[in-house]
Each structure stands twice: as structure tokens, then as C-alpha cells.
Amino acid sequence: MDSDIKEEIPVHEEFILCCGVETQVLKCGPWTDLINDQSANRPKLLIFIITDPNAQEIKDIYGLRGQVEHKLAFLRTHVPKEMKLVVIGHSIGCYISLQILKHGPELPIIRCFLLFPTIERMSESPNGKITTPLVCWFRYALYIPVYLLLKPWPVNIKSLMVRMCLRMMNLQSPSEFSLLNMLEPSCLVNVAYLASQEMMEVVKRDNETIKEHLSKLTFYYGTKDAWCPKEYYEDMKRDFPEGDIRLCEKMMPHAFVLHFHREMAAMVAAWLKDDLSKVQH
């Protein structure tokens, strides 16, 4: 994956019904139906990316446990059983990735990259100390102003605000569509609800699952990450000295997707090169 070679990779968006919920899926590559595609050109490896979120019906699907079950259901019903998997998690997506390893032992996951992992003591982190009272104690009080302020705004006003924010952050315009969705009151309510569960439930690191799958795992911590501070990295290095546990030397922020997505993609691709030989076995 030479960084000097620019290749146009087709990207398309689908909405599927998974666990009774309409689910947005972004696919990179020319393949649209991996289950029914039996051609020789079908890929042998799927890279499954779980970002900081968003079959049978799942109770409380917008909660943390529901999000884990939702991802498991997607992999079990929409990905061929024999297809090897690389899982990439960011932030709370790292916690979900570990839960997938724990509750989906039948899934052929060969590698798992955990970027800026919020997998323990979230409420004790610098950001967690601020966020916990807001989403756990005052969440319902915030719902009313959110609905009163955002619900009446027409789409063109919301779009104007998003474009202004994107220009201030020097971001490209395609991100506008995702941010527009974030300005929907129902979306903000679900985000706050999930955040409250994260603060309460992501407390103790799952050392048992980490130990069982340590050879598959790469942890990447930030040097100045207010969600998982450097001491969490040092604790991991102490408890798992043989693990692949890295500290960012590029000063990337926790929300690297805003400005450092290309650098992160190139770095993870370089790590993955060493593991692609396993796909043939």
C-alpha cells in the first residue's frame, strides 16, 4: 500500500435491516453482496471498522450491550462464515471489539486493532469526570432545550451551520451529511443515552479476554488523550509486557478522524501488511 500511489476505491452506502433497526453500512471495494458472490474474485478478507458510535429483535439496541449484539448479528448474518476478519475499533469501538472477541468465538478474526481504546475507567478519565454528571445526572434536563432549539430549524439552516463549522475546522464538505444527522434531536438523545451507559459500565478492563486473544491485538494509545490517559497505557504495558501495546509518537488527538485520518489509515495498513499471509491459510 504505497502512499505515493493513489488508487480510486469505490465506496457506496447501503441501509440494511439488522436486529430490527435500519443500519447504515459504508462499503469500500467493488463487492456489494459477499454472501451470494461465489466468484473466484471474491475477497478472502474483510476489514470491519467499528467507530465511536452509532435477525432477532434486540432489546435496548441503542444501549452499550445492544450495540455489541447488533455488531455480532451483522457479522453472523451478512458476512460469509469462512471469510477471515480484521476488526478495527476506535474509542468505545475498542470495547465493542473486545466484546465481539468474547461473545463471538466462532468468528474467524485474525487481527484486531484498538485505536485510542476506551476499555476501562471511563468515568475516571479527565473527560469522563466532566461527561459523567452531564449524561448520567442531567441528561433528561438537556432533552427539552435540544428539542426546542433544533427540532424547528429547517434543513437549510442546519446545513449552513454545519458548513460554517466545517470551514472553521478546515474539514472537507462530505462530512456535512454525517454532522447533519447529528443535529437531529433523536440522534443526540441516543448519543447521550449510550454515553451514560459507557460511563457506568466501562469500568474494569477485561483482562481475561485480552489475555486469551493477546496475539491478535494491537493497542494504540495517545500521548495526550483525555479519554484514556497515558497512565492507562503504562498500566497495560505493565500487565501485558508481551503484548503489542504502542504509544502514539505523532501527537494525534483522540478524534483523529477529523484531521489525521489519512495518517492513521496508512499506519494501520502498514501494520496489517505483515498479517496478510495468514489469509491464504
Side-chain angles (χ1 to χ4, degrees):
M1 300 180 184
D2 192 335
S3 59
D4 295 331
I5 300 175
K6 292 186 178 180
E7 181 182 355
E8 286 295 328
I9 301 176
V11 178
H12 63 278
E13 177 187 57
E14 288 184 13
F15 286 88
I16 64 172
L17 197 65
C18 183
C19 308
V21 174
E22 190 175 38
T23 303
Q24 181 189 36
V25 180
L26 294 177
K27 295 183 178 180
C28 300
W31 305 278
T32 57
D33 188 350
L34 294 175
I35 292 289
N36 296 316
D37 183 358
Q38 300 299 323
S39 68
N41 294 326
R42 191 180 77 168
K44 296 181 176 64
L45 174 75
L46 174 68
I47 298 177
F48 184 58
I49 301 177
I50 307 173
T51 60
D52 189 11
N54 48 109
Q56 60 190 38
E57 295 283 342
I58 290 178
K59 184 179 180 180
D60 193 25
I61 194 167
Y62 295 113
L64 190 54
R65 180 61 199 165
Q67 286 293 295
V68 173
E69 293 184 15
H70 176 260
K71 306 305 180 285
L72 282 168
F74 175 84
L75 291 172
R76 287 167 174 160
T77 57
H78 294 277
V79 177
K81 290 181 172 58
E82 69 279 5
M83 182 168 289
K84 292 182 173 61
L85 294 166
V86 172
V87 177
I88 303 176
H90 169 235
S91 193
I92 196 62
C94 300
Y95 174 88
I96 295 174
S97 299
L98 289 177
Q99 290 294 303
I100 288 174
L101 287 170
K102 181 177 182 177
H103 296 286
E106 79 284 1
L107 296 172
I109 298 173
I110 63 170
R111 282 295 263 121
C112 187
F113 298 99
L114 306 179
L115 311 176
F116 300 89
T118 53
I119 58 173
E120 60 174 310
R121 295 177 281 175
M122 283 194 69
S123 64
E124 298 177 25
S125 68
N127 278 354
K129 291 177 181 177
I130 299 172
T131 304
T132 298
L134 290 177
V135 298
C136 295
W137 306 339
F138 304 117
R139 187 173 82 247
Y140 297 104
L142 295 175
Y143 289 169
I144 295 176
V146 163
Y147 273 95
L148 290 178
L149 289 174
L150 295 181
K151 192 66 176 176
W153 288 3
V155 174
N156 58 339
I157 298 297
K158 293 180 182 178
S159 181
L160 176 63
M161 286 189 60
V162 168
R163 286 196 299 270
M164 291 173 60
C165 291
L166 291 174
R167 280 197 293 268
M168 291 171 59
M169 294 186 291
N170 195 28
L171 295 178
Q172 298 176 345
S173 59
S175 302
E176 175 183 340
F177 302 105
S178 298
L179 290 177
L180 267 178
N181 290 334
M182 284 292 295
L183 289 179
E184 287 298 320
S186 59
C187 182
L188 290 171
V189 166
N190 288 335
V191 167
Y193 174 63
L194 178 59
S196 69
Q197 292 207 339
E198 292 171 15
M199 297 304 113
M200 292 185 291
E201 296 184 23
V202 183
V203 179
K204 186 178 179 181
R205 189 202 312 145
D206 188 352
N207 288 338
E208 184 177 339
T209 298
I210 292 172
K211 183 178 180 180
E212 181 181 352
H213 299 281
L214 191 60
S215 61
K216 302 177 182 178
L217 299 172
T218 291
F219 294 86
Y220 191 72
Y221 284 85
T223 50
K224 294 183 178 180
D225 188 344
W227 281 113
C228 40
K230 189 177 176 181
E231 66 182 85
Y232 292 12
Y233 157 80
E234 293 168 348
D235 291 345
M236 279 289 295
K237 288 287 285 185
R238 183 194 65 234
D239 295 342
F240 298 97
E242 70 280 21
D244 186 9
I245 302 164
R246 312 184 186 203
L247 187 65
C248 177
E249 299 177 350
K250 303 177 184 294
M251 299 300 292
M252 292 187 190
H254 185 88
F256 66 85
V257 293
L258 296 178
H259 294 286
F260 294 92
H261 51 282
R262 289 186 177 88
E263 291 86 345
M264 180 63 79
M267 187 167 59
V268 174
W271 296 343
L272 187 55
K273 271 186 178 180
D274 299 332
D275 299 283
L276 291 180
S277 59
K278 298 178 184 178
V279 178
Q280 305 300 327
H281 297 93

